[in-house]
């Protein structure tokens, strides 16, 4: 049986709670990612910021500014990050993670071992698995071509 550690991205890009929305946006843009775990200096997981959170924060500040004399992108991540997020062990099963993510409509699960962030698994990782399985199926049972 495959486990989370077989598929997860190790050493995910992270930020600290004191980083800003601008830092998160720049990191996401630079690396083409949509989820950024927020960690303490000892690498303990404390939150998560998603691309959707950035968009919501920017929209919210346009509608009703709450921070005077501060740009939206200067807002610290601890003001918008999700806390009490679900995580998974690197020894967890891939199927149970996929079912959980689908049921709860989440795009990622941080992978935590002994309280420390060790990786992340995302919905894109599961799409990769599906593509690989479909390619294997095509090799085993190629489509017949009508002549």
């Amino acid at each position: 049986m495959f486990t989370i550690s077989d598929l997860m991205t190790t050493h995910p890009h992270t930020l600290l709670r004191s980083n800003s929305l601008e830092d998160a946006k720049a990191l996401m843009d630079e690396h083409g990612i949509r989820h950024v775990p927020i960690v303490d200096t000892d690498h303990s997981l404390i939150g998560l910021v998603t691309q959707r959170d950035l968009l919501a924060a920017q929209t919210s500040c346009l509608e009703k500014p709450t921070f005077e004399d501060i740009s939206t992108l200067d807002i610290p991540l601890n003001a918008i990050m999700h806390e009490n997020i679900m995580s998974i062990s690197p020894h967890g099963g891939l199927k149970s993670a996929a079912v959980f993510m689908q049921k709860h409509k989440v795009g990622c699960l941080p992978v935590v071992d002994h309280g420390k962030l060790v990786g992340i698994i995302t919905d894109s990782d599961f799409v990769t698995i599906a593509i690989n399985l479909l390619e294997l199926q095509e090799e085993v049972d190629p489509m017949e071509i009508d002549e």
Side-chain angles (χ1 to χ4, degrees):
M1 178 174 104
F2 289 105
T3 64
I4 296 298
S5 64
D6 295 319
L7 186 66
M8 71 181 188
T9 299
T10 57
H11 311 293
H13 299 286
T14 62
L15 291 172
L16 302 172
R17 72 172 76 222
S18 58
N19 284 107
S20 67
L21 281 176
E22 183 173 19
D23 298 327
K25 184 178 181 332
L27 187 68
M28 288 178 186
D29 290 346
E30 179 181 349
H31 297 286
I33 58 177
R34 296 177 292 141
H35 310 92
V36 178
I38 309 302
V39 296
D40 269 338
T41 54
D42 68 352
H43 227 61
S44 297
L45 179 68
I46 60 170
L48 182 75
V49 172
T50 68
Q51 190 174 46
R52 184 176 289 170
D53 298 328
L54 293 180
L55 294 172
Q58 291 172 324
T59 301
S60 172
C61 287
L62 289 174
E63 292 172 356
K64 51 181 178 177
T66 55
F67 297 91
E68 293 179 14
D69 301 326
I70 186 171
S71 164
T72 303
L73 292 176
D74 290 333
I75 296 171
L77 294 178
N78 66 329
I80 67 156
M81 72 180 186
H82 295 275
E83 299 178 82
N84 302 319
I85 55 172
M86 295 301 300
S87 62
I88 193 163
S89 160
H91 311 293
L94 287 175
K95 181 180 177 185
S96 61
V99 169
F100 177 87
M101 290 172 65
Q102 181 184 37
K103 180 179 178 182
H104 296 283
K105 297 184 181 358
V106 295
C108 75
L109 284 173
V111 183
V112 175
D113 193 23
H114 297 97
K116 306 294 183 204
L117 181 71
V118 296
I120 191 167
I121 190 158
T122 69
D123 49 6
S124 294
D125 296 321
F126 287 104
V127 170
T128 300
I129 289 175
I131 291 168
N132 289 336
L133 290 173
L134 291 169
E135 287 173 347
L136 285 173
Q137 179 64 34
E138 287 175 357
E139 290 174 12
V140 171
D141 187 23
M143 292 177 42
E144 293 182 23
I145 300 174
D146 294 331
E147 292 186 43

